[in-house]
């Protein structure tokens, strides 16, 4: 595999992982604390809307692209070994944790929130908020930490690269 492909894959994995980590970090630091200060209707309706709108090419390209580029980067460095491979494999493990938490925990919460129906027709918004908010915030924090760790590992891979 050429050095250009190795470099491009590592750069792409770093970029896409950073975008995903930044998104989850923004939810941890600003979006959810901001929504925590609002009423039940605002939180439920806003999260339903966000969950619908986030399923777009920009997000999915970065979210799934990071996984693909991490795998390509790891494969591209298999024959070389060394610290770049170790950091990349660590990043891949962290990103797989991010993916697992998202698919197994946050997405089912999002789906359940959507299944509650339109915000105007939910009889007990406080109850919906109660089962959704704390669990979603907790698991988002976990995926924030794992995605930031993946990004940090890729920065380390870049810094230890010899060319």
């Amino acid at each position: 595999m050429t050095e250009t492909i190795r470099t491009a894959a590592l750069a792409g994995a770093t970029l896409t992982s950073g975008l995903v980590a930044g998104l989850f970090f923004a939810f941890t630091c600003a979006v959810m604390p901001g929504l925590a200060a609002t009423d039940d209707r605002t939180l439920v309706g806003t999260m339903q809307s966000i969950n619908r709108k986030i399923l777009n090419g920009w997000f999915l390209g970065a979210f799934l692209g990071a996984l693909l580029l991490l795998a390509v980067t790891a494969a591209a460095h298999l024959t070389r070994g060394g610290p770049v491979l170790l950091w990349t494999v660590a990043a891949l493990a962290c990103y797989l944790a991010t993916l697992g938490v998202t698919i197994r925990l946050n997405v089912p919460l999002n789906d359940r929130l959507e299944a509650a129906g339109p915000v105007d027709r939910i009889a007990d918004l406080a109850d919906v908020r109660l089962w959704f908010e704390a669990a979603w915030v907790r698991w988002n924090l976990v995926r924030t930490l794992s995605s930031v760790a993946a990004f940090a590992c890729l920065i380390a891979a870049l810094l230890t690269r010899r060319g």
Side-chain angles (χ1 to χ4, degrees):
M1 188 163 292
T2 70
E3 195 55 36
T4 302
I5 292 172
R6 283 187 192 90
T7 301
L10 180 55
T14 305
L15 174 64
T16 53
S17 295
L19 290 170
V20 172
L23 174 70
F24 295 150
F25 182 74
F27 268 87
T28 296
C29 294
V31 175
M32 295 313 289
L35 287 174
T38 66
D39 59 50
D40 300 337
R41 177 186 178 83
T42 301
L43 182 133
V44 170
T46 300
M47 286 305 296
Q48 285 179 330
S49 181
I50 289 170
N51 292 336
R52 284 183 220 117
K53 295 296 182 183
I54 201 162
L55 297 176
N56 63 65
W58 290 103
F59 171 72
L60 293 172
F63 188 66
L64 298 175
L67 179 63
L68 175 65
L69 288 164
L70 277 161
V72 168
T73 301
H77 286 86
L78 275 175
T79 58
R80 291 186 145 198
V84 174
L85 177 61
L86 294 176
W87 284 117
T88 302
V89 169
L92 181 57
C94 291
Y95 199 80
L96 286 171
T98 301
L99 190 68
V101 168
T102 300
I103 292 169
R104 294 180 49 87
L105 299 160
N106 287 92
V107 169
L109 286 166
N110 294 345
D111 291 345
R112 185 174 171 202
L113 186 66
E114 184 64 27
V119 72
D120 293 337
R121 295 187 188 150
I122 297 173
D124 191 352
L125 284 166
D127 181 58
V128 171
R129 181 179 190 159
L130 183 67
W131 61 254
F132 176 81
E133 185 179 19
W136 197 94
V137 166
R138 178 177 52 254
W139 293 116
N140 187 67
L141 176 60
V142 171
R143 69 185 181 169
T144 298
L145 295 172
S146 62
S147 63
V148 168
F151 183 54
C153 288
L154 288 167
I155 291 170
L158 285 168
L159 293 174
T160 59
R161 209 166 170 276
R162 291 192 188 117

